[in-house]
Amino acid sequence: MNPNTNNDINDNEIRIITQCGQRTDLVPAQKKQRSSNSVLLLIALGVIFIAVVTLLVLYLTSGDSGNEAEEQLVIEQTEPTTLNPLDQTPAPPDTAEILRLDTPSEPGHVNITDARVGETTLKVLQPRNLTPELCVGPENAADTTAALIVQAADVRADNGGIVGAYVFQGELLSRGQSKSGFCAIIGGNPIIGVADATPYLEQAIETNGYFFRQYPLVVSGQIVENRQPGKSLRKALAELSGEICVILSEEPMTFHDFSQSLIDLGVTNAIYLVGSTSYGYARDAQGRRISFGKRSDRPLKNTNYIVWR
C-alpha cells in the first residue's frame, strides 16, 4: 500500500477495490438513492409488462371469438344436400318444379270458334304455337301437314300474275301497288297494315321473309271503304285482341258490312283475303279438320296461300 494514502474512511463513504487491486474512494451516500430509483424503475417496467400481456391476452381471446363466428358461417353455407335415407341420392325437386321444367308447350293447332255479331255469324280461326309463311302453287292446297291454310293475294284472270307486290322467301316475285293493304312476315311474325309505301317490303326482301298486298278493311278500329259492289263470302286477316287470326263470314256480305262486323267483334286492323269459294282448311287441337270453299278444277299456277305450320 501507498503509505501516503489515508486509510481512514468517513461515515458517509465506502471503499471499492478495483480488479487490479487498486482501491477507489468515491460513491457518496447519494448512491443509495440511485439504487432506490433503480428499484422503482424495475417495478414500473414490471407493471408495463403485465399490462401488455393482459392486452395481448384480451386481443387473442377476441380474435378467437371472431374466428369461431366465421367458421360457423362457413359451416352453414356448405351444409350438405338433404339425402334420401335409402339410396343416398339428392332428394328430387318438388313435383310442381318438374311439371314446369319438363312439360312441353301444347302442339300447334287452331282455335275454331263461332261469333255472333248482331245478325251476322263469323267464324274465327286463331293459330296457336304456329308460324306463318307464304306458299305459291295450287298443289299446296293438297298439303295435309299444315294447321291452317287460306288463299292470300289475288291472281289476275288474264295473265295469271299475282296482283300487287309479292315477296316469297326474300325474292320479289311481283311488283305493283294496286292495293294499299299489306301483310309482311318478318322472322316468322305477321304484320298487317295500310300504307302505299312501307319499309316492311324491303325488310321482307332483306330477311328472306314474305310480303303481299290486299284490300284494307279496318285501320285502328275504323272502316276503310272499298268500292267493290255486291255480296260474297268474305275472309279477312285480322288483328283481334293483339293476335293475328283469320275471320270468315258464314253468309255473303258487302265489304262495308263485313268491315263493320269485324269492328263490332273487336278487330283493330284487318286486310282482305281471297273470298268467295276460295279453298282453305283449319285443324283444331283434337286433330279435326274443317274445310271451307272448294278446290278449283283448273287452278291458276300462281294461286298462293298463307300457311301456318
Side-chain angles (χ1 to χ4, degrees):
M1 286 188 180
N2 189 345
N4 297 325
T5 302
N6 188 0
N7 293 324
D8 296 331
I9 301 174
N10 296 324
D11 292 337
N12 62 350
E13 292 180 341
I14 62 173
R15 178 175 295 161
I16 296 176
I17 306 300
T18 65
Q19 191 175 4
C20 298
Q22 296 178 347
R23 77 177 183 189
T24 302
D25 296 333
L26 44 109
V27 188
Q30 289 86 346
K31 199 64 173 169
K32 294 181 181 179
Q33 184 67 31
R34 246 183 236 182
S35 297
S36 177
N37 291 339
S38 298
V39 172
L40 292 176
L41 179 60
L42 289 175
I43 292 173
L45 291 175
V47 172
I48 293 173
F49 176 79
I50 293 172
V52 170
V53 170
T54 302
L55 291 175
L56 182 60
V57 170
L58 292 175
Y59 175 80
L60 292 177
T61 303
S62 175
D64 290 341
S65 299
N67 290 336
E68 289 175 1
E70 182 177 355
E71 182 179 351
Q72 179 65 29
L73 178 62
V74 172
I75 291 174
E76 292 174 355
Q77 289 177 341
T78 57
E79 184 177 356
T81 304
T82 302
L83 300 179
N84 289 331
L86 297 179
D87 58 13
Q88 293 297 298
T89 56
D94 184 79
T95 303
E97 184 74 10
I98 294 176
L99 293 176
R100 185 170 63 254
L101 293 176
D102 298 338
T103 302
S105 59
E106 59 181 349
H109 64 279
V110 179
N111 283 347
I112 304 173
T113 57
D114 291 328
R116 189 72 177 173
V117 182
E119 299 298 321
T120 303
T121 301
L122 302 175
K123 188 173 292 294
V124 182
L125 311 177
Q126 297 173 296
R128 289 288 183 268
N129 297 323
L130 298 169
T131 301
E133 62 182 15
L134 295 183
C135 295
V136 180
E139 67 277 4
N140 289 284
D143 182 6
T144 59
T145 64
L148 176 58
I149 181 169
V150 59
Q151 286 190 35
D154 289 320
V155 178
R156 294 174 62 95
D158 53 358
N159 59 14
I162 297 174
V163 179
Y166 195 95
V167 177
F168 175 76
Q169 293 182 345
E171 182 180 357
L172 184 63
L173 301 184
S174 175
R175 299 175 182 272
Q177 192 177 306
S178 61
K179 302 170 183 179
S180 59
F182 70 86
C183 171
I185 304 174
I186 309 294
N189 297 313
I191 304 163
I192 61 175
V194 177
D196 292 335
T198 171
Y200 289 119
L201 175 60
E202 287 73 20
Q203 288 186 31
I205 295 173
E206 294 170 357
T207 61
N208 294 325
Y210 305 89
F211 184 95
F212 71 92
R213 283 197 174 274
Q214 260 295 357
Y215 294 111
L217 297 175
V218 178
V219 176
S220 299
Q222 301 296 319
I223 292 178
V224 178
E225 295 292 350
N226 291 280
R227 296 180 180 179
Q228 287 70 23
K231 295 183 177 182
S232 181
L233 293 173
R234 304 297 182 185
K235 300 179 180 70
L237 186 62
E239 182 181 350
L240 178 64
S241 300
E243 298 181 354
I244 299 299
C245 61
V246 174
I247 301 178
L248 318 175
S249 70
E250 294 290 299
E251 62 266 2
M253 303 179 70
T254 65
F255 267 90
H256 177 88
D257 291 343
F258 184 51
S259 296
Q260 185 62 58
S261 295
L262 295 177
I263 293 172
D264 294 341
L265 184 63
V267 167
T268 53
N269 297 287
I271 64 172
Y272 192 59
L273 294 174
V274 178
S276 186
T277 58
S278 62
Y279 178 76
Y281 67 81
R283 188 179 67 244
D284 66 13
Q286 288 71 42
R288 296 172 298 197
R289 195 174 78 165
I290 66 163
S291 60
F292 42 86
K294 63 181 182 179
R295 297 176 63 176
S296 174
D297 295 333
R298 293 185 298 174
L300 300 173
K301 69 174 183 177
N302 284 323
T303 301
N304 58 93
Y305 304 86
I306 179 169
V307 179
W308 281 263
R309 302 182 190 278

